[in-house]
Amino acid sequence: MKLHWSPVSPYVRKVMIVALETGFAGRLERVRSVAVMSEVNASLSADNPLNKLPTLVCDDGRVLFDSCVICEFLDPEGILHPRGFDARICALRRQAFGDGLLDLLILLRNERNRPIPFQSPPHLSAWLTKAKNALDRLEAEVPGFDHQGMDIGDVSIGCALGYLDVRFADMAWREGRPMLDRWEADISRRSSFMQTVAVVE
Ligand SMILES: N[C@@H](CCC(=O)N[C@@H](CS)C(=O)NCC(=O)O)C(=O)O
């Protein structure tokens, strides 16, 4: 299976963590692909017209995106995707929470990278406030996390926090959020997280 991959994409990291946890990592042929909002990557777009990472080309020719679909595909036994209804909704909600935070961070980063005269202060301010509100809510939710096992929600939230460390050190997200800080420190000691730490080229 061919995975359009990048060493710094947090959504790709989700997929790699799941693949390592479920035993599929060895079957993935990682192809270094570059995806940015302002350009079209012809070889990536040939597989995925949305031009997004991650994109998985299966051995039977099916092309899967986005990260949620790929993660589910790589977890046929439900190791990280609980089968029971309540546990499943809880895990999927937390996955949406982590992915939603990431979506905000990607928007912020793209806007920050534009030349200053073209940046939109209201958008920057609103996205930053929403990201901080999301982090505050996660801090409040940490006591309710299942601290024994790991599911797809943990993977997604862990990747969002890891991305903050890589791209938004100035946000100092750990300050005033001690429970989330400890939780992230714990999950980032897992082998699958350690093997997929972002590498900024
Ligand atoms: N919801 C998607 C988001 C994927 C995404 O936005 N990936 C970024 C890279 S980190 C991307 O491909 N950006 C290029 C673009 O939006 O054109 C997922 O979970 O896979």
Side-chain angles (χ1 to χ4, degrees):
M1 292 183 279
K2 177 175 91 177
L3 178 68
H4 286 281
W5 173 93
S6 130
V8 77
S9 163
Y11 306 98
V12 168
R13 188 179 186 204
K14 275 180 66 190
V15 166
M16 290 308 304
I17 288 171
V18 169
L20 286 162
E21 296 281 346
T22 59
F24 275 84
R27 291 177 51 188
L28 298 179
E29 178 206 345
R30 291 179 296 168
V31 175
R32 176 70 172 101
S33 297
V34 175
V36 289
M37 275 186 186
S38 54
E39 286 168 32
V40 178
N41 172 335
S43 66
L44 174 59
S45 289
D47 286 330
N48 175 359
L50 300 177
N51 194 85
K52 285 193 185 282
L53 298 177
T55 294
L56 182 72
V57 183
C58 302
D59 293 336
D60 62 7
R62 275 180 297 178
V63 181
L64 301 182
F65 45 85
D66 59 15
S67 62
C68 304
V69 177
I70 301 172
C71 287
E72 183 122 21
F73 179 75
L74 295 176
D75 185 20
E77 290 175 17
I79 293 169
L80 296 165
H81 295 78
R83 299 276 192 240
F85 186 76
D86 287 344
R88 185 173 181 81
I89 291 296
C90 177
L92 294 180
R93 172 191 171 274
R94 292 170 70 251
Q95 174 174 227
F97 204 160
D99 284 6
L101 173 54
L102 274 173
D103 293 344
L104 281 170
L105 297 173
I106 299 283
L107 286 171
L108 256 176
R109 184 170 147 73
N110 276 299
E111 191 67 16
R112 278 185 179 182
N113 284 348
R114 299 175 77 201
I116 287 176
F118 297 107
Q119 291 182 9
S120 164
H123 283 89
L124 283 171
S125 165
W127 289 332
L128 191 61
T129 301
K130 291 174 192 179
K132 287 182 173 168
N133 288 345
L135 287 163
D136 289 341
R137 181 67 64 87
L138 284 172
E139 170 73 6
E141 292 190 8
V142 171
F145 287 6
D146 172 3
H147 295 261
Q148 307 307 317
M150 181 170 85
D151 64 27
I152 191 63
D154 298 300
V155 174
S156 176
I157 293 167
C159 287
L161 298 177
Y163 188 71
L164 279 163
D165 285 335
V166 173
R167 294 293 197 200
F168 291 87
D170 59 307
M171 209 190 276
W173 69 267
R174 294 170 195 277
E175 281 176 22
R177 301 186 186 96
M179 291 186 289
L180 197 56
D181 177 14
R182 269 199 303 279
W183 178 84
E184 193 276 341
D186 283 347
I187 203 162
S188 63
R189 277 195 285 272
R190 279 184 88 96
S191 172
S192 57
F193 273 73
M194 288 171 63
Q195 289 181 63
T196 56
V197 169
V199 177
V200 181
E201 296 169 325

